[in-house]
């Protein structure tokens, strides 16, 4: 079966719009016979005339009207496609799909605010959830980039380290251990702890730290947000282990104290992460470079 071509649609669309073969030929920089040939090509395939001439005037037949609708729809769709592709190519009207873990969200939003200052047109979609959820979004290719703690081996991810993330033990300022200049890890064994939910990177790091030392913490409550843990610790419900980066205000206002525990802080790091085979858009590429440039320490690259 012979198929209609885009060229035929384009030529016919001009004829139908101008209701003249010669004016269409002029507009398209073609000869009039070339225009007639394209229109005849459609008529042959459809087996129906598209135009009729009454006196000196050209009219569209019913079939001609149908073909005009179709060619207008096709042309509009192609124009949309072209402008969408241009947007994808251009950095300044691009889109950035980003996921960050809860604990890094304050650092990430600060970087995003500065990035927005430079590229105000980039539209940004930010998901904030725990480590397990961010890994899941990377695995299912729902995001361009992630900012999170160290990623597991064997997931085909490129992860570049760009910042330290120290985890510290917190207590209410009036707590007995907060008055001590040195606290041993054993001293923590008798204290109740408020911990993040399973799936949190902070929780995983904390468990690995105590497992490695053969110590089991007494966890009194599990909570799915750092904010909730800070409030519970302030309320005297137990101790907590959180990233120092989430504690700026509470420490400045003396609502919480960092305990001087031996071997602390647990030193973790923040990474900018994407799938190895991901073809980053200009917006995503620019954001990745921006994060690495804003790094306050020498980044180390790992591929996992
Ligand atoms: P989370 O973040 O505890 O909020 O999951 C830490 C991480 O990314 O490992």
């Amino acid at each position: 079966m012979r198929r209609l071509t885009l060229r035929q649609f384009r030529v016919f669309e001009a004829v139908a719009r101008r209701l003249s073969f010669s004016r269409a030929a002029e507009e398209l920089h073609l000869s009039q016979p070339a225009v007639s040939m394209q229109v005849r090509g459609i008529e042959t395939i459809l087996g129906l005339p598209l135009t009729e001439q009454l006196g000196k005037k050209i009219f569209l037949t019913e079939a001609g009207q149908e073909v005009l609708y179709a060619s207008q729809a096709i042309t509009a769709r192609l124009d949309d496609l072209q402008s969408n592709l241009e947007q994808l190519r251009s950095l300044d009207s691009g889109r950035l799909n980003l996921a960050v873990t809860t604990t890094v969200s304050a650092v990430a939003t600060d970087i995003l605010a500065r990035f927005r200052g430079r590229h105000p047109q980039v539209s940004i979609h930010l998901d904030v959830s725990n480590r397990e959820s961010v890994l899941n979004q990377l695995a299912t290719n729902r995001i361009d980039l992630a900012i999170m703690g160290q990623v597991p081996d064997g997931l085909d991810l490129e992860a570049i380290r760009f910042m330290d993330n120290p985890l510290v033990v917190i207590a209410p300022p009036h707590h007995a251990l907060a008055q001590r200049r040195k606290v041993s890890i054993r001293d923590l064994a008798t204290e109740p702890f408020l911990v993040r939910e399973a799936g949190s990177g902070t929780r995983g790091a904390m468990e690995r730290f105590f497992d490695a030392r053969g110590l089991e913490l007494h966890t009194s409550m599990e909570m799915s947000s750092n904010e909730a843990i800070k409030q519970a610790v302030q309320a005297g419900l137990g101790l907590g282990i959180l990233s120092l980066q989430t504690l700026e205000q509470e420490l400045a206002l003396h609502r919480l104290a960092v305990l001087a525990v031996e071997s602390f802080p647990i030193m973790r790091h923040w990474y900018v992460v994407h799938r190895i085979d991901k073809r980053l858009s200009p917006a995503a590429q620019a954001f990745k470079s921006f994060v690495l440039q804003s790094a306050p320490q020498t980044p180390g690259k790992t591929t996992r």
Side-chain angles (χ1 to χ4, degrees), residues 101-103 129-131 148-149 196 199-203 268 270:
T101 50
T102 327
T103 301
S129 47
N130 74 16
R131 168 184 173 81
M148 62 187 304
R196 283 280 306 275
S200 143
T202 307
R203 158 96 174 247
R268 303 192 71 218
W270 295 126

Side-chain angles (χ1 to χ4, degrees), residues 11-196:
V11 171
F12 179 70
E13 200 265 334
V15 172
R17 199 165 17 84
R18 313 293 298 253
L19 289 175
S20 156
F21 281 78
S22 57
R23 281 198 294 268
E26 223 175 86
E27 179 182 315
L28 300 170
H29 306 293
L30 292 172
S31 68
Q32 193 172 325
V35 170
S36 309
M37 197 180 80
Q38 295 294 333
V39 176
R40 254 200 321 276
I42 309 180
E43 290 177 331
T44 312
I45 291 171
L46 298 183
L48 290 167
L50 300 183
T51 58
E52 56 194 356
Q53 185 152 6
L54 303 179
K56 287 198 162 172
K57 276 191 147 184
I58 286 187
F59 295 85
L60 297 186
T61 61
E62 215 177 312
Q65 199 62 56
E66 287 295 324
V67 175
L68 175 61
Y69 291 146
S71 44
Q72 282 170 338
I74 291 167
T75 311
R77 186 74 193 84
L78 282 176
D79 289 347
D80 277 359
L81 175 66
Q82 199 163 343
S83 90
N84 287 348
L85 292 179
E86 264 155 29
Q87 277 193 18
L88 283 182
R89 255 200 314 272
S90 118
L91 164 60
D92 279 333
S93 47
R95 193 179 153 78
L96 174 64
N97 264 321
L98 184 68
V100 305
T101 50
T102 327
T103 301
V104 79
S105 63
V107 168
T109 41
D110 178 61
I111 298 175
L112 271 173
R114 284 182 283 123
F115 179 75
R116 270 298 277 223
R118 257 201 225 173
H119 304 288
Q121 304 299 329
V122 173
S123 86
I124 295 167
H125 183 270
L126 173 68
D127 176 86
V128 181
S129 47
N130 74 16
R131 168 184 173 81
E132 192 172 281
S133 151
V134 174
L135 282 174
N136 191 269
Q137 293 180 65
L138 281 164
T140 49
N141 196 24
R142 272 180 287 150
I143 47 172
D144 301 313
L145 290 172
I147 297 182
M148 62 187 304
Q150 190 173 358
V151 296
D153 289 336
L155 288 186
D156 288 341
L157 297 173
E158 180 189 288
I160 305 181
R161 197 168 97 185
F162 71 96
M163 199 178 182
D164 289 343
N165 170 29
L167 303 189
V168 293
V169 184
I170 48 167
H174 54 77
H175 194 282
L177 293 180
Q179 321 310 323
R180 302 242 304 256
R181 291 179 64 198
K182 242 186 173 176
V183 177
S184 76
I185 296 182
R186 301 252 151 235
D187 292 331
L188 300 180
T190 48
E191 297 290 331
F193 267 82
L194 303 150
V195 298
R196 283 280 306 275

Side-chain angles (χ1 to χ4, degrees), residues 213-226:
R213 286 157 181 82
L215 209 83
E216 208 179 312
L217 283 189
H218 164 44
T219 58
S220 65
M221 254 186 248
E222 196 176 283
M223 298 181 174
S224 61
S225 96
N226 294 330

